[in-house]
Amino acid sequence: VQLVESGGGLVQPGGSLRLSCTASGFTVSTYRMSWYRQSPGKGRELVAAIHSAGGSTNYGDSMKGRFTISRDNVKNTVYLQMNSLKPEDTAVYYCNVRMWRDYWGQGTQVTVSS
């Protein structure tokens, strides 16, 4: 099982970024896939999740209406579209899959600053 994130970077407040999580060793549509984030001094928090059955989604409260999680089963990739970014969205973003244990990617840094 391997998860590789990409797409992070520096963006101004109000801007957008799309993160990608490319999976190998399993099929993303078979498991719950999630994005988490962690900023200095804070614990890891759920950003968004997409469930295997039906592809239903859920989001952290501060992300609702701004972030969208999706998956491409052909590319075996999960995306996180982030719009209207705020400085408080600055964090390392991690991709996660929950099987018999949790697997994590290496993380990608998102910095929102003018």
Side-chain angles (χ1 to χ4, degrees):
V1 173
Q2 188 176 18
L3 301 170
V4 178
E5 301 103 333
S6 61
L10 173 64
V11 63
Q12 292 186 341
S16 298
L17 280 176
R18 188 178 79 156
L19 306 183
S20 300
C21 171
T22 300
S24 58
F26 71 101
T27 303
V28 296
S29 60
T30 307
Y31 296 93
R32 174 185 182 267
M33 300 294 299
S34 305
W35 286 95
Y36 285 76
R37 70 185 185 187
Q38 187 167 20
S39 52
K42 295 185 178 180
R44 197 167 289 190
E45 66 172 331
L46 177 68
V47 176
I50 183 165
H51 298 269
S52 55
S56 61
T57 59
N58 59 280
Y59 298 89
D61 287 342
S62 64
M63 299 81 173
K64 290 177 182 177
R66 300 189 299 126
F67 292 8
T68 303
I69 188 171
S70 62
R71 67 186 179 211
D72 184 325
N73 295 338
V74 174
K75 295 182 178 180
N76 211 36
T77 298
V78 177
Y79 301 100
L80 182 68
Q81 177 67 44
M82 305 186 294
N83 299 327
S84 302
L85 283 162
K86 305 174 182 180
E88 51 264 42
D89 294 318
T90 296
V92 179
Y93 285 70
Y94 297 92
C95 183
N96 166 273
V97 60
R98 177 158 297 171
M99 298 179 175
W100 54 90
R101 50 156 281 193
D102 282 323
Y103 288 90
W104 299 91
Q106 82 286 356
T108 185
Q109 176 71 47
V110 172
T111 302
V112 184
S113 175
S114 55

